[in-house]
Amino acid sequence: MGALALGILWLNAGLVMAAAFKQLQGLRRLGRRLRAMADSGGLVHGEVVRAGEGDRFAVRRIHQLGRAVTSGGPPTMLFTDGPQSFEVLGGAVRTAEGDVEIAPADPVRSEVWHDAARGAEAVGGSAEAFDEALPAASKYKGFARDLEVEVRRGDRVWVVGARDGDALGAPEEAVPLLVSMVDPRAWIASR
């Protein structure tokens, strides 16, 4: 019986390691693509000086499901991310070399990364909103909400895409136009 339990433990450990290795391979692939685009001039870093839609330069939409945690202390809610979509609305980024036009990209061909502060701002929340959401979060279906995290005019960003003169757009291959509020190379290296 002990050998069976030990075998199950090792099988589970192997499955966890296989999943971690698969994620590591994906990060390495993404890192290679970013380096290749950066080498071809497709990586710019600067301040958003013009946004395609009012002050909005890019948007990340996240569907979240919250569940109540009521044991062992005051009630809290634990949120898990569900489906996400991204949209680059376009505009211009001011770099040390001058302004770079960023072409709009549809949700299929774009990706938006935000920093922790902007994510916390999008979540917001108040005691009244928590009290209203808690009964739904305590039920089987949980409490669903949709967040929009915006990258706005005035934000510092890294944009990775296909370079065409003084413009960046979505690459032709299956790589999205990336707008990031954190240095994507440093983020990948930290993982």
Side-chain angles (χ1 to χ4, degrees):
M1 192 60 130
L4 177 64
L6 189 58
I8 291 171
L9 174 72
W10 281 106
L11 176 65
N12 284 334
L15 291 172
V16 168
M17 291 294 292
F21 184 70
K22 186 175 181 180
Q23 287 179 344
L24 179 62
Q25 285 179 320
L27 284 172
R28 285 184 176 159
R29 231 181 351 265
L30 179 60
R32 284 191 299 272
R33 288 180 188 156
L34 287 175
R35 278 191 296 280
M37 286 187 189
D39 291 344
S40 66
L43 171 66
V44 297
H45 175 238
E47 179 184 345
V48 177
V49 292
R50 186 171 43 79
E53 188 180 286
D55 279 343
R56 294 173 12 139
F57 178 72
V59 180
R60 178 181 192 168
R61 294 177 183 89
I62 308 166
H63 180 76
Q64 291 186 327
L65 185 63
R67 301 224 184 256
V69 180
T70 56
S71 61
T76 58
M77 270 189 272
L78 176 64
F79 285 91
T80 54
D81 290 349
Q84 300 182 40
S85 66
F86 312 97
E87 188 175 9
V88 177
L89 303 166
V93 173
R94 179 154 297 145
T95 68
E97 294 81 34
D99 289 359
V100 176
E101 288 292 318
I102 308 299
D106 61 34
V108 174
R109 304 202 52 212
S110 60
E111 193 163 324
V112 179
W113 298 358
H114 58 83
D115 60 8
R118 187 58 53 87
E121 177 187 311
V123 169
S126 64
E128 294 82 25
F130 178 83
D131 290 341
E132 289 175 18
L134 188 60
S138 300
K139 294 182 180 169
Y140 175 74
K141 286 186 176 182
F143 171 72
R145 71 178 178 189
D146 293 309
L147 298 179
E148 280 197 0
V149 185
E150 299 177 351
V151 177
R152 303 183 200 109
R153 186 172 19 163
D155 288 340
R156 305 277 310 160
V157 295
W158 286 261
V159 183
V160 182
R163 187 77 180 229
D164 184 17
D166 286 342
L168 275 180
E172 293 302 320
E173 64 245 24
V175 179
L177 175 67
L178 172 64
V179 172
S180 177
M181 294 180 73
V182 296
D183 184 351
R185 297 167 298 179
W187 185 87
I188 289 171
S190 72
R191 299 301 181 254

